[in-house]
Amino acid sequence: MAASAAARAEKLRALINYHNYCYHTLDEAEISDAEFDALVKELQQIEAAHPELVTADSPTLRVGATRLSAFKSVRHSAALLSLDNAFSPDAVRVWYERVARRFSADAKIKIVAEPKIDGLSIALRYEHGNLTLGATRGDGYEGEDVTANLRTLKSIPLRIPLTTPTQPPPFAKNANRGGASTPSPAKRGRAGVEVQIPETLIVRGEVYFPKDKFAELNRQLQANGQKTYANPRNTAAGSVRQLDPRLTAARPLRFFAYQIMEQQAGLVTRAQWDALEYLRALGFPVNPDSQLCDSLDDAIAYSERWFKTREQLNYEADGMVLKVNDFAMHEELGAVGKAPRWAIAFKQASQVGVTKLQRIEVNVGRTGVVTPFAVLEPLPIGGVVVSLATLHNADYISDNDIREGDTVRVKRAGEVIPQVLGPVLELRPEDSKPFKFPRRCPTCGEKLERREGEAGTYCVNSACPAQLVRQLEHFASRGAMDIAGLGEQMSALLVDKGFVGDVADIYALHMKRAQLLELEGFAEKRVDNLLNAIEASKSRALSRLIYALGIRHVGGTVSELLTEHFDSLEALAKASEDDLNGIRGLGPVIVDALREYFKQPRAQQLVKKLVKYDVQTKQHGRATRSDGKLAGKTFVITGTLPTMSREQMTALIKQHGGKVTDSVTKKTDFLVVGENAGSKLDKAKSLGVETLSEDELKTMV
Ligand code: IVH
């Protein structure tokens, strides 16, 4: 028994590690989540029955070991060097000249260009293929032992080389996690090739927080009224430096390997590009945006092309690392101080210019938030003429003591809006006075307000024309009602001429066709195109309509979520606090925003008008759901279900027209109960809510 259990455990470990690799490193899952969970569960059961079979590389240990009281410091066996910077192609050329001088004129110097990931630098030590130590870089000589935390990152192999399961997994045929039905030979080749590894191998790389996941985390925190994080880099570093590894495990951190410690690198490869290939073959994630370049010019051209795409990448990077490819050349070049001569970080100089701030104005947004901006004497920064720059909010102006008439430093980075950094005090005019933030809305004249705990200043007059213009623009935008021809200018014009008093009024515009035609520049064709586009927008999906209203904190995802629980705008407008609180994924901030919005008589009026004008305010295209066996019923799930995950159960219920909420209330029809159910079961009993097992629910549908 024990022998077969051992064999099965080993097989399961290989399978789980392999599928982790497919999912977390290659981003191409081969099996479904449920199938994957089943493998982990089976291994956990074997390990529970035979603790002696638990190995150091067991993937079951990735959930996070027990809490530490402090990190041990570890001395790196060789210093982890850092890089010198070059802020222009010319500076890169100066670096290269110094490199080239060491070699004969006809020596071919290839360059590897690798994005410089902005995360936390770590070193992983593998002994006989097993991960034995993971440490932060620290000061380059001494770092912290964060092995237990790094083990929780699924893109870090616990054992190398990552072996391919010898037989295809039994469920490979009906796999659906990534769409592929059988593992592709190329992938197997990459993950499972025969590779030699030295007794000890130290791999350097960077742990980072993917940008999309970071945005998601902050959205959630904000919705729950919690403090948000400043940037992905610090959040990644903070997540790795948690004494409780379970906290690290809860974060979607990723890893890129980029270097084999020099003294060992020579044992297995002869050049940086080969080292990256080798790391990839061992099962490490290697940045796909790296490139082997034949010449320095190629490397500079490649970097500059990449700089332009940087904003769209899912990782933060603060430049391109250029590395001489050949390791023999590295030996020859050596290091100066803490930086090797064979590499340089090529960064874009942050683009800062100095100009005169003529005046400060404010802009009223669709939610009434008042944003100050600087009107500047135009100046070119990085090839673009900048004449406006943001000043964020009232505190930013006072904290940085920015005044009208000041000479200011202005920064433009990538695609983001230019911002005023601060004044050049030496050049401040003698008669200068601190800026007084307006007390009244520049458009409607109403008093401006500041809410407690918020940096923003608001115009709270919901009839403010400036807000209406922005609301209209948003209402008509692509992701909302998608009305071509109703952009910023048209919105302003319609508000200015008194054609609309709220967004619903656009649906009555056809009655004013004659008046529209009298406006300058409004030919028949233009007017009819606009009216047709408005008419066509009446049948947009409910989620778009909800989003189009521009309720604070209610973006596209939240709108989608809301349509899963309300099948009309009228129902949403009437929702009670309890109804909203019961929805999983809606934090208190969103609930408050929805309540506050629909509390306004103006909003209730708007809903009525939309209905009156025949705008589609009901959910459509969900026939299967409202006809479903569970239609109209509300479910809550609690405890661990025997075979299904909560997500799967939720999907099953929704598929049959039921609703799933988070907490048991009088309105709950059924509580689906699994093992170790807690207080929800007690509450259901006390309220007389019927309970169901997984099997019973399945029978119902
Ligand atoms: S090579 C000896 N490659 O940049 C060469 N570094 O100051 C050492 N970094 O702390 C670094 N991406 O954390 C290298 N592809 C990459 C990198 C990279 C990010 C970080 C690394 C280091 C810092 C350099």
Side-chain angles (χ1 to χ4, degrees):
M1 172 59 200
S4 68
R8 181 67 189 157
E10 195 179 316
K11 178 80 184 279
L12 285 166
R13 272 197 290 275
L15 275 170
I16 294 169
N17 282 330
Y18 173 71
H19 289 297
N20 260 336
Y21 168 77
C22 292
Y23 191 75
H24 293 280
T25 299
L26 301 182
D27 261 335
E28 284 174 48
E30 292 186 353
I31 61 172
S32 71
D33 288 348
E35 286 160 342
F36 182 80
D37 292 345
L39 294 176
V40 175
K41 205 161 178 184
E42 187 184 344
L43 180 59
Q44 279 168 338
Q45 280 164 354
I46 297 181
E47 287 179 346
H50 306 275
E52 73 281 5
L53 294 181
V54 182
T55 58
D57 70 328
S58 178
T60 56
L61 300 179
R62 286 202 192 262
V63 290
T66 45
R67 197 189 151 84
L68 301 173
S69 52
F71 293 117
K72 276 200 302 234
S73 65
V74 277
R75 217 174 160 74
H76 298 299
S77 52
L80 303 183
L81 301 178
S82 61
L83 296 167
D84 277 342
N85 296 321
F87 287 101
S88 66
D90 281 347
V92 173
R93 292 203 170 87
V94 169
W95 161 76
Y96 182 82
E97 284 309 313
R98 237 178 259 142
V99 169
R101 221 181 292 143
R102 298 272 187 130
F103 307 102
S104 66
D106 58 350
K108 190 137 184 55
I109 306 175
K110 290 195 184 185
I111 305 282
V112 177
E114 296 169 25
K116 186 169 179 302
I117 313 296
D118 204 8
L120 177 72
S121 179
I122 59 158
L124 300 170
R125 171 194 284 266
Y126 289 85
E127 278 162 298
H128 303 286
N130 288 312
L131 174 65
T132 52
L133 178 69
T136 60
R137 176 171 178 271
D139 63 1
Y141 302 102
E142 214 165 82
E144 285 172 325
D145 178 347
V146 286
T147 317
N149 295 355
L150 293 177
R151 278 180 159 283
T152 68
L153 267 73
K154 304 218 173 61
S155 50
I156 293 182
L158 299 175
R159 202 185 147 68
I160 50 166
L162 186 98
T163 50
T164 310
T166 45
Q167 286 162 8
F171 37 66
K173 265 198 237 75
N174 55 9
N176 61 13
R177 189 149 95 156
S181 54
T182 44
S184 70
K187 241 179 292 166
R188 289 200 164 243
R190 253 201 276 168
V193 282
E194 285 280 314
V195 268
Q196 295 297 317
I197 47 164
E199 229 175 77
T200 308
L201 183 74
I202 298 176
V203 174
R204 264 189 89 170
E206 202 86 355
V207 171
Y208 67 98
F209 208 119
K211 284 202 287 199
D212 59 346
K213 304 273 190 225
F214 179 73
E216 201 177 303
L217 173 71
N218 266 350
R219 264 201 303 274
Q220 264 172 20
L221 290 171
Q222 193 180 35
N224 294 330
Q226 287 166 286
K227 222 176 127 204
T228 54
Y229 290 103
N231 60 54
R233 202 212 88 84
N234 291 356
T235 315
S239 305
V240 170
R241 297 189 63 263
Q242 292 287 338
L243 288 170
D244 187 343
R246 280 167 301 189
L247 296 177
T248 313
R251 292 282 164 78
L253 299 172
R254 288 267 182 151
F255 174 69
F256 275 133
Y258 57 70
Q259 201 80 26
I260 299 172
M261 287 307 281
E262 296 80 28
Q263 69 277 31
Q264 303 150 339
L267 297 176
V268 281
T269 57
R270 290 210 220 139
Q272 174 63 8
W273 189 250
D274 302 342
L276 295 180
E277 292 280 327
Y278 173 80
L279 287 168
R280 202 174 270 139
L282 289 179
F284 288 97
V286 174
N287 193 324
D289 301 325
S290 305
Q291 174 91 359
L292 176 61
C293 305
D294 269 338
S295 66
L296 182 74
D297 284 340
D298 284 359
I300 291 176
Y302 178 75
S303 309
E304 289 187 323
R305 252 180 288 135
W306 175 84
F307 285 151
K308 296 208 176 89
T309 64
R310 214 164 64 175
E311 302 288 322
Q312 289 125 48
L313 299 168
N314 202 15
Y315 54 83
E316 286 215 322
D318 58 343
M320 188 68 101
V321 186
L322 303 182
K323 299 175 180 173
V324 170
N325 188 37
D326 191 316
F327 285 161
M329 289 185 168
H330 290 198
E331 289 265 316
E332 178 63 34
L333 287 161
V336 250
K338 274 189 171 191
R341 285 199 188 85
W342 46 263
I344 190 96
F346 177 19
K347 295 183 177 175
Q348 269 176 311
S350 80
Q351 302 176 308
V352 179
V354 171
T355 190
K356 184 134 182 222
L357 189 166
Q358 294 172 327
R359 46 179 204 283
I360 297 177
E361 294 188 2
V362 298
N363 183 29
V364 184
R366 75 183 140 87
T367 55
V369 66
V370 175
T371 311
F373 63 94
V375 178
L376 305 167
E377 217 158 80
L379 91 154
I381 312 181
V384 175
V385 176
V386 175
S387 50
L388 299 176
T390 183
L391 289 162
H392 304 288
N393 53 48
D395 287 349
Y396 187 81
I397 298 177
S398 53
D399 290 352
N400 293 288
D401 190 19
I402 297 167
R403 304 180 183 187
E404 289 181 323
D406 268 345
T407 298
V408 290
R409 283 172 301 120
V410 180
K411 180 177 167 186
R412 192 181 80 91
E415 301 305 302
V416 289
I417 309 169
Q419 64 165 336
V420 173
L421 294 175
V424 180
L425 290 175
E426 299 76 24
L427 299 177
R428 173 166 282 172
E430 291 206 345
D431 58 352
S432 143
K433 290 195 190 64
F435 179 69
K436 282 207 192 94
F437 203 84
R439 285 163 187 266
R440 292 187 174 273
C441 172
T443 310
C444 69
E446 283 287 316
K447 251 186 153 175
L448 298 178
E449 277 184 17
R450 266 190 85 162
R451 300 182 190 157
E452 211 176 305
E454 280 196 40
T457 308
Y458 288 85
C459 166
V460 290
N461 169 19
S462 57
C464 169
Q467 285 180 50
L468 180 55
V469 173
R470 299 275 168 260
Q471 283 163 10
L472 203 50
E473 219 183 309
H474 172 75
F475 189 83
S477 66
R478 278 262 181 88
M481 300 301 263
D482 195 10
I483 305 173
L486 188 45
E488 187 180 345
Q489 279 182 357
M490 181 67 86
S491 303
L493 190 77
L494 293 177
V495 173
D496 193 40
K497 299 279 174 198
F499 281 103
V500 296
D502 64 25
V503 293
D505 284 344
I506 58 166
Y507 295 106
L509 266 184
H510 60 276
M511 294 189 277
K512 299 186 181 156
R513 187 170 177 273
Q515 284 131 284
L516 283 171
L517 282 171
E518 281 168 20
L519 296 177
E520 210 185 297
F522 276 57
E524 285 212 1
K525 190 151 183 223
R526 184 170 178 207
V527 172
D528 289 338
N529 283 348
L530 176 66
L531 294 176
N532 289 340
I534 292 175
E535 184 63 26
S537 74
K538 286 182 173 177
S539 55
R540 301 274 181 261
L542 176 59
S543 58
R544 279 172 167 250
L545 178 60
I546 296 174
Y547 170 64
L549 297 177
I551 306 167
R552 296 181 77 203
H553 306 297
V554 179
T557 318
V558 173
S559 305
E560 284 282 344
L561 178 67
L562 289 167
T563 60
E564 289 177 13
H565 298 266
F566 301 97
D567 50 20
S568 69
L569 183 61
E570 299 89 300
L572 173 64
K574 276 194 232 122
S576 70
E577 196 168 350
D578 263 0
D579 294 339
L580 294 170
N581 276 333
I583 298 177
R584 191 189 194 124
L586 275 198
V589 172
I590 301 177
V591 171
D592 281 354
L594 282 163
R595 301 260 306 141
E596 219 157 87
Y597 179 82
F598 286 112
K599 214 167 61 189
Q600 309 170 86
R602 213 181 143 77
Q604 295 289 346
Q605 177 75 15
L606 182 68
V607 174
K608 282 200 194 118
K609 274 171 88 174
L610 288 168
V611 175
K612 187 177 96 189
Y613 291 140
D614 245 0
V615 176
Q616 176 74 257
T617 55
K618 307 260 181 295
Q619 178 91 296
H620 52 101
R622 285 265 169 97
T624 53
R625 296 193 179 194
S626 48
D627 297 353
K629 294 229 169 65
L630 309 180
K633 302 281 181 233
T634 303
F635 294 77
V636 175
I637 309 168
T638 184
T640 314
L641 303 175
T643 72
M644 296 173 83
S645 69
R646 253 171 213 237
E647 287 69 28
Q648 288 169 325
M649 179 53 86
T650 306
L652 182 71
I653 294 172
K654 283 190 188 164
Q655 195 189 329
H656 292 277
K659 267 199 304 194
V660 179
T661 62
D662 234 14
S663 48
V664 178
T665 66
K666 277 184 289 186
K667 291 196 177 162
T668 311
D669 295 291
F670 297 101
L671 179 70
V672 183
V673 185
E675 227 175 284
N676 300 325
S679 60
K680 286 185 191 166
L681 181 57
D682 301 334
K683 179 124 191 242
K685 279 183 185 155
S686 73
L687 292 173
V689 171
E690 198 173 321
T691 59
L692 293 174
S693 68
E694 179 186 309
D695 266 356
E696 282 166 334
L697 188 122
K698 284 186 185 157
T699 319
M700 271 173 90
V701 301

